[in-house]
Amino acid sequence: MTRLPALAASTFAKLLAYLSCLALLVMALHVTADVVWRALFNTPILGTLEIGTHYYMIAVSFLALGYVQMKDGHVAVEFVVHSMRMRPRMVLEFFALLITFVFSLYYLYYSWVSAMQKTRIGEYVLVHSEPMTIWPSRWILVVGVFGFSFILLIQLFRLARTLWQGRVVRVAELMATEAGTNTGERD
Amino acid sequence: MSFAAIGFIGLFTLVVMLAIRVPVGIALSVVSLIGITLVRGPAAAFGALRSLPYDFAAVWTLSAIPMFLLAGAIVSNAGLTTGLFRAMRVWLGWLPGGVAVATNFAGAGFAAASGSSIATTATLGRIAVPEMLDNKYDPGLATGVASAVGTLGAVIPPSIIIVLYAVFAQAPVGQVLIAGILPGLLTAFCYAGMIIIRCKLKPELAPRIPSPKLSLREHLQLFVPIWPLPLLVLCIVGGIYSGLMTATEAGAVGAVLAILTSMLQFRFSFAMLKKSLFEAAETTAGLLMIAVGAILFTRFLALSGVPTALSDIIVAYGTSTLSIVLLIAVVYLFLGCFLDPIGIMLLTLPVLLPVFDAADISLIWIGILLVKLVEIGMLTPPVGLNVFIMKGVIGDRVPLTTIFRGVGWFLVAEIVVMTLLIAFPQITLFLPSYMN
C-alpha cells in the first residue's frame, strides 16, 4: 500500500543526493580553477566566493538530508537503546521519528516563508558592484527539507505498521524493502 | 517561570530526547525552539528557524568542511594510503616494538590525510594488527596503538572539527588549523616514545622481527606508492600557512590533486569517485544538521543569559586558566561517555566561549586543547568509539577488556602531552604566530 509513495520518496531523496554530490564536485573544480587562474593570470574568477557560499554550500549542506535519514545516518546517541530488545526499542524509535518529523514540518514551513519573502524582494548580492541573484538558492533549502520530511513520513507510517503487525525492523531498513518482511529477527 | 528553571527543564528534555535516539541536531533544535519561545515568545523562536540555518551554511569558512571531507574520502577510497604501513614497517621496524611504532606513524599519516578517526582505526585493524598478532606482539599493545592513533587526525590539518570550532568561536580558521600541527606531532612522538620505552623494558611485549636489508633502489620503490600523501599534506598545510590559499581553497585543491594522483597511479575509477562524493556529501549534511541545532542552541542559551551569568562568576572569583581547563577536562571526559566529539564540542561552546572571553584565554590555544580532550573521549570506557570499531574489525582474536587495557597506556601518554600543552602554550601558538 505504501509501495508507491515510498518509491517516490526514496527516488526523490536519491536524486537530491546526486545533485548534492554534483554540487560538491563542481565546487571543488570551480574553486581550484579560481586558485589556478589567480596564480597564472593574477585575476580571480568573478563570483567564485558568492556562488560557492550561496549555491554550492547550500546544496551540499541540505540536499542530502533525506538520503541520510533514509539510511538512518544522522548522528544519534546509540548506547541507551543499544542493549534494549527490539520491540521496546522500536516504540522509542517511533517517538524519536515523530519528534523529528514534527520538527521537519516546522523547518519546512519557515524555510518556505523565508524563501517566498526573499523571492518577492528578489534577493541579490553585489559582486564587484554587479548584482548576482541569490534568492533561488533559498529554494534549495526548501527542497532539501521537503525531501527530509517526505522520507520521515513514510518511515513513520511503516514503523507504526510494523509495530502493529508485531514484526521487527530497523529504522535503516524501513525504506529498503516492503517494511519488515525480510528482517528475520525476533525478540 | 525563571530562566534557571527553563534552562533546567530544557536540559532534562534534551537528555530524554537524546536517550530515545532523536538525532543530536534535531534534539538540540527542538529544545532551543521551545526554550526561545518560553524566554522571548514564539516570534523570536520561529524568526531564528527562518533565518539561521541558511545564514549559517552560506559562509565561506564553513565550505572548507565538504572540501576536506572530499579530499580525505578520495585518499582513502583510492587506496593512496595502503603503501604507508608497508613503508613505515621497513623504515621503523628495527626499533624496539618496531611494528607498533610503524603502525603509530603510518596511522598518524593516514588519519591526517583521511581526516577520519574511524576509517584509520578500521584500516589499521585490518592490516597492521593481524601482522603484530602473528608476530606474537602483546595483544593489548597491538590493538591499543591502532585504536589510539586514529584520534590524531582531528588535530593534524586538514581537520573537520577544527574548522567547525573556528566557525563557532569566530577564530581565524587558518591559524587554528596550523596550530594543530605541533600538538599532533608531539602526540605521535609521545606515543612512539612510550611504545619504545615499554618494549625496551619488557622485550617480551614485542619480539624482534629481523628486517631485510634493502638497497637504495628498493627503498625508493617503497616510496613510489605513497608520494601523493606528503604532497597533499604539504599543499594543504603550505597553502594555508603561506596565506596563498584560504582553508576552503586548500581543501578544494587537495581534493582535485587527490583525484589527479589517483589517476596517475591507475587507482581512479568513476565508482571510487561516486563513493567518495556520496561519503563527503552525506557527512556534510549530517554535520550541518548538528551545527544548525548547535547554532539554535547558542541563540537559546544567549537569550537565557546562562553563559553571561557563568562568565560573571569566573570574573568575580578570578578563576585561573588552569582550573577552567581542568574543569572542562572533567566535563568533556564525562560527556565523552555519551556523545560523539563534534556533538560535545558544539553543545558546550555556547557556554564556554563567553567564559574564555572573560578569562582572556587564547581561542587558538584552547581550541586545540578542546579538540584533544574530545578525541581522548573516543578512547575512554564505557563508550570509547574507536575501541569498539577495533573490536568490530578484529573480532574474537582479542577481548574488549584487553583492548581497553592496551589503550590505557596511550591515555598515560596523553596525560603527558596535555600537561606539556597546558604548561607551554608556545607549542600550540608558535606556528600560527608567524602567520598574518
Side-chain angles (χ1 to χ4, degrees), chain B residues 89-342:
Chain B
R89 165 94 177 64
V90 173
W91 293 335
L92 300 170
W94 54 276
L95 286 161
V99 188
V101 178
T103 306
N104 178 52
F105 284 108
F110 191 110
S114 74
S116 166
S117 179
I118 292 171
T120 306
T121 309
T123 310
L124 294 176
R126 269 190 291 269
I127 357 177
V129 177
E131 173 159 354
M132 284 189 271
L133 293 180
D134 291 343
N135 284 303
K136 302 274 180 300
Y137 267 52
D138 176 65
L141 175 67
T143 50
V145 61
S147 313
V149 74
T151 60
L152 290 185
V155 216
I156 303 173
S159 153
I160 309 299
I161 191 166
I162 287 185
V163 176
L164 270 177
Y165 167 80
V167 168
F168 270 82
Q170 296 182 318
V173 62
Q175 293 192 16
V176 195
L177 280 167
I178 294 297
I181 298 177
L182 290 183
L185 291 178
L186 178 72
T187 314
F189 280 98
C190 275
Y191 281 2
M194 187 272 292
I195 297 169
I196 294 172
I197 293 171
R198 273 191 76 202
C199 294
K200 192 90 193 157
L201 294 177
K202 223 173 144 192
E204 66 269 25
L205 285 177
R208 261 179 200 269
I209 307 161
S211 51
K213 276 262 173 275
L214 293 188
S215 64
L216 185 66
R217 195 187 152 78
E218 284 166 312
H219 277 295
L220 283 176
Q221 270 169 357
L222 280 173
F223 190 68
V224 170
I226 59 171
W227 65 265
L229 287 183
L231 178 79
L232 268 178
V233 173
L234 211 68
C235 154
I236 292 181
V237 170
I240 297 173
Y241 190 70
S242 62
L244 286 176
M245 291 188 245
T246 62
T248 307
E249 290 168 348
V253 172
V256 172
L257 268 183
I259 296 176
L260 291 179
T261 47
S262 73
M263 286 174 172
L264 281 179
Q265 298 210 331
F266 305 105
R267 291 169 186 275
F268 179 84
S269 71
F270 282 102
M272 182 280 291
L273 182 63
K274 185 182 149 193
K275 184 167 179 244
S276 308
L277 284 168
F278 264 91
E279 274 178 26
E282 283 172 44
T283 313
T284 309
L287 280 179
L288 257 289
M289 177 71 104
I290 303 177
V292 164
I295 201 91
L296 287 167
F297 193 61
T298 308
R299 177 69 62 92
F300 162 50
L301 283 185
L303 288 175
S304 75
V306 170
T308 11
L310 262 180
S311 49
D312 285 350
I313 296 173
I314 303 278
V315 176
Y317 288 91
T319 316
S320 72
T321 305
L322 183 64
S323 48
I324 295 175
V325 172
L326 290 179
L327 193 67
I328 296 173
V330 173
V331 174
Y332 269 35
L333 292 182
F334 173 71
L335 289 177
C337 301
F338 318 99
L339 280 166
D340 70 305
I342 286 173

Side-chain angles (χ1 to χ4, degrees), chain A residues 8-116:
Chain A
S10 58
T11 311
F12 187 59
K14 270 184 217 155
L15 176 75
L16 294 185
Y18 270 101
L19 287 175
S20 140
C21 289
L22 186 68
L24 185 59
L25 184 63
V26 175
M27 179 176 182
L29 295 173
H30 191 161
V31 173
T32 306
D34 181 55
V35 172
V36 173
W37 224 250
R38 215 170 48 206
L40 291 182
F41 307 108
N42 213 14
T43 48
I45 299 174
L46 273 189
T48 303
L49 191 142
E50 289 76 11
I51 299 175
T53 50
H54 289 286
Y55 285 95
Y56 302 145
M57 245 332 252
I58 299 298
V60 174
S61 306
F62 298 112
L63 283 184
L65 277 179
Y67 185 73
V68 176
Q69 177 60 37
M70 202 165 107
K71 295 170 72 177
D72 195 26
H74 284 294
V75 177
V77 176
E78 303 284 343
F79 90 108
V80 180
V81 293
H82 184 75
S83 49
M84 288 174 79
R85 294 196 308 166
M86 266 316 271
R87 300 272 308 165
R89 178 183 165 142
M90 281 166 64
V91 174
L92 289 189
E93 283 179 332
F94 176 80
F95 284 107
L97 278 182
L98 189 64
I99 292 172
T100 312
F101 177 64
V102 171
F103 168 75
S104 80
L105 289 183
Y106 274 100
Y107 198 0
L108 181 61
Y109 176 71
Y110 285 100
S111 317
W112 168 276
V113 169
S114 168
M116 285 301 276

Side-chain angles (χ1 to χ4, degrees), chain A residues 82 84-87 89-90 162 166-170 173 180-187:
Chain A
H82 184 75
M84 288 174 79
R85 294 196 308 166
M86 266 316 271
R87 300 272 308 165
R89 178 183 165 142
M90 281 166 64
T162 317
R167 292 177 296 153
V168 295
V169 68
R170 291 187 181 278
E173 297 164 347
T181 45
N182 56 357
T183 58
E185 197 180 346
R186 298 279 148 185
D187 75 348

Side-chain angles (χ1 to χ4, degrees), chain A residues 152-186:
Chain A
L152 280 163
L153 179 66
I154 306 283
Q155 283 181 329
L156 256 182
F157 183 78
R158 287 195 159 180
L159 187 60
R161 193 183 52 183
T162 317
L163 267 171
W164 179 256
Q165 292 170 340
R167 292 177 296 153
V168 295
V169 68
R170 291 187 181 278
V171 177
E173 297 164 347
L174 284 170
M175 299 301 296
T177 51
E178 194 59 14
T181 45
N182 56 357
T183 58
E185 197 180 346
R186 298 279 148 185

